[in-house]
Amino acid sequence: MSQRREQWASRLGFILAAAGSAIGLGAVWKLPYVAGTNGGGAFFFIFILLTLTLGASLMLAEFILGRHTNKDAIQSYKAIAPGTPWFLVGALGIVASFLLLSFYAVVGGWIVTYFFRSITGQLQAPDGDFGALFGQITANPWEVGIAHFVFILITIFVVRAGIRGGIERASKLLMPALFILFLVIVARSLTLDGAMEGVRFFLQPDFSEVTGETLLFALGQAFFALSLGVSIMVTYSSYVPKDTSLTRSAGSIIGLSLFIALLSGLAIFPAVFSLGMSPEEGPPLIFIVLPAVFNEMAFGGFFFTLFLALLLFATLTSAFSLLEILVAPFAKNDLNKRKRVTWISGLLVYIMGIPSALSFGILGDFTVFGNIFFDNMDFLVSNILLPLGALLIALFVPWKINKDVLEEELLRSSRLSRGFFLTWLFTIRFVTPAVIVIVFLYILGFLPGVEPTI
């Protein structure tokens, strides 16, 4: 029998859980290497600007939809537009979250492996070649398979306990620990010789280096680093009490996300520049460059273990939100059913992730469109499903929900004026969809003179 829908025990719990979802690997892992390959300070400045404008507008749209309907990612669309295909936007979000978590958990498994090897003293690279070590680890099917399963298992145990007992409780413990650990790493990184060169690269914009590609990558990072486009924030906000200010909550979540992004850059770039490394290493930056960087520091092993613990915390908080959007529509707020659905969903995600986990080893020669399975999954989710979902949400919320309802939900329990609401409404109705369409066309190579990003 269906029970009364759960709610967050506190506004702080909601903010920390949503911030944890938004931060994840996007801020800690992806942003440094994307900034490193796209101009450093100029990219970071543009990313902040777009996050505070277009990213914020989309987050508020998802919040309004979830809190107003008090329903999951599928039923919320049905409540607003019954008898129409709009519920497929929620279904698209569930599919995208399922696929995203399947390969996201593989990266989580790599972090588990590195963390275990670090605390047991087994993170030793032959001849100091951490690239070779990364290849050795990711090519071992048993090591990546077990670590992948451990990561999924932790996620299942937290999400099965529900909103208050699982996700909120874990977030209240993990997020403050994440901030503390990051501050320790930043303090150590900034005290290295030559660290200021890395700080200047990250925080001193050189707009002469900005290209159209820099702008477009910053747009994508601004939208997708906040877990927008897959109705995660619709699901999370459906547990928010009516007297909670959505604008203050969004401001706090975005502020925490940008703060972590800042700390991430200050932790990585000063250390990279101090030891003469390149900031343009790309996705392996953390797994190949950082172990080498920390290996050269006094007490480097200790600090790298702390960094891996931090990265694992951030990755898990995002995994909680991805699994929750799969569980909520089928659990129907029944705690007993939630436990069963969580186990089934988690195990299906693990099975779906096996080809991605083996893509760097025994399935390395199996390619489609010239890419391994892992890269194809990443492209499908990041470059097709996420922008499509974001666009549809930006079209649905401001045009399908009554304008008076939008204003009431947005301004409730806040001191903001109607002018703020009208500005937000114009942005979400016209500016945000236009920007997403431009990014989407760029990714697919439909703009003149642009090759597809694949």
Side-chain angles (χ1 to χ4, degrees):
M1 182 177 177
S2 179
Q3 302 173 355
R4 184 175 64 86
R5 188 167 180 80
E6 273 194 287
Q7 290 187 335
W8 302 105
S10 64
R11 175 172 171 265
L12 176 62
F14 165 57
I15 289 171
L16 291 177
S21 170
I23 291 168
L25 287 178
V28 182
W29 168 65
K30 188 175 182 181
L31 186 136
Y33 86 72
V34 175
T37 55
N38 286 279
F43 173 91
F44 189 58
F45 177 84
I46 296 168
F47 161 74
I48 291 175
L49 181 64
L50 294 172
T51 298
L52 293 174
T53 53
L54 306 183
S57 72
L58 192 60
M59 176 173 280
L60 287 171
E62 292 202 30
F63 279 1
I64 289 172
L65 177 59
R67 209 265 296 273
H68 175 65
T69 60
N70 196 32
K71 297 182 184 297
D72 59 62
I74 291 181
Q75 296 301 322
S76 57
Y77 295 94
K78 287 185 175 182
I80 299 299
T84 70
W86 278 105
F87 74 93
L88 294 175
V89 179
L92 175 68
I94 291 174
V95 171
S97 295
F98 176 79
L99 297 177
L100 174 57
L101 185 55
S102 73
F103 70 85
Y104 184 96
V106 172
V107 182
W110 295 345
I111 299 169
V112 170
T113 292
Y114 268 66
F115 181 68
F116 177 78
R117 280 175 170 256
S118 182
I119 62 177
T120 58
Q122 300 178 56
L123 200 62
Q124 303 298 322
D127 301 321
D129 187 350
F130 284 94
L133 178 64
F134 180 74
Q136 174 189 323
I137 290 173
T138 55
N140 185 328
W142 290 105
E143 186 162 13
V144 295
I146 292 172
H148 178 204
F149 184 73
V150 168
F151 184 85
I152 286 289
L153 205 59
I154 296 171
T155 306
I156 289 173
F157 271 105
V158 171
V159 175
R160 70 189 286 275
I163 293 299
R164 292 192 181 189
I167 296 174
E168 183 170 357
R169 180 179 296 174
S171 297
K172 283 183 175 179
L173 291 174
L174 295 182
M175 292 305 293
L178 187 152
F179 294 132
I180 293 170
L181 286 175
F182 239 138
L183 290 172
V184 172
I185 299 297
V186 169
R188 182 67 187 98
S189 187
L190 290 176
T191 57
L192 296 172
D193 293 336
M196 288 304 104
E197 185 180 352
V199 174
R200 283 191 293 272
F201 173 81
F202 182 53
L203 297 182
Q204 185 173 303
D206 180 2
F207 292 107
S208 66
E209 298 293 324
V210 173
T211 65
E213 189 171 85
T214 304
L215 293 170
L216 292 166
F217 272 108
L219 287 171
Q221 184 70 18
F223 282 120
F224 309 134
L226 292 175
S227 295
L228 302 174
V230 292
S231 298
I232 285 176
M233 292 305 172
V234 174
T235 302
Y236 267 24
S237 60
S238 71
Y239 303 116
V240 173
K242 291 295 185 182
D243 59 353
T244 298
S245 170
L246 297 182
T247 52
R248 286 204 299 269
S249 297
S252 299
I253 292 164
I254 292 171
L256 288 174
S257 300
L258 290 176
F259 181 56
I260 284 292
L262 173 66
L263 292 182
S264 181
L266 291 177
I268 292 172
F269 289 119
V272 169
F273 274 82
S274 174
L275 296 179
M277 300 287 184
S278 171
E280 300 181 356
E281 292 290 336
L285 185 67
I286 285 177
F287 296 104
I288 295 177
V289 175
L290 279 186
V293 170
F294 282 98
N295 194 48
E296 298 296 326
M297 295 182 186
F299 308 107
F302 170 74
F303 283 108
F304 189 55
T305 301
L306 282 183
F307 187 85
L308 288 170
L310 176 158
L311 188 60
L312 183 58
F313 289 171
T315 310
L316 282 168
T317 52
S318 287
F320 298 158
S321 68
L322 290 168
L323 188 56
E324 174 62 21
I325 194 175
L326 306 181
V327 170
F330 303 102
K332 305 298 183 183
N333 209 45
D334 185 317
L335 190 56
N336 291 324
K337 187 181 291 186
R338 164 180 277 273
K339 293 178 180 178
R340 183 169 65 253
V341 171
T342 303
W343 274 106
I344 294 172
S345 300
L347 292 176
L348 288 175
V349 166
Y350 174 74
I351 293 170
M352 185 66 202
I354 291 175
S356 292
L358 300 179
S359 291
F360 299 85
I362 60 177
L363 292 183
D365 294 330
F366 175 75
T367 61
V368 178
F369 302 119
N371 294 315
I372 59 175
F373 189 87
F374 182 99
D375 290 341
N376 279 315
M377 293 295 292
D378 188 8
F379 177 80
L380 172 63
V381 173
S382 302
N383 296 341
I384 296 179
L385 299 183
L386 292 187
L388 179 60
L391 174 62
L392 292 173
I393 291 170
L395 294 174
F396 179 82
V397 171
W399 295 106
K400 289 294 183 180
I401 299 179
N402 183 277
K403 184 177 177 180
D404 292 337
V405 171
L406 291 173
E407 183 173 2
E408 179 187 359
E409 288 287 352
L410 190 66
L411 300 183
R412 180 182 294 162
S413 301
S414 76
R415 298 177 181 177
L416 297 171
S417 67
R418 191 166 189 267
F420 174 85
F421 165 73
L422 293 175
T423 301
W424 169 82
L425 187 63
F426 177 81
T427 302
I428 194 65
R429 275 185 171 179
F430 303 108
V431 181
T432 304
V435 170
I436 296 175
V437 167
I438 292 171
V439 173
F440 196 55
L441 292 176
Y442 172 82
I443 287 169
L444 296 179
F446 290 145
L447 295 181
V450 175
E451 294 294 325
T453 305
I454 185 170

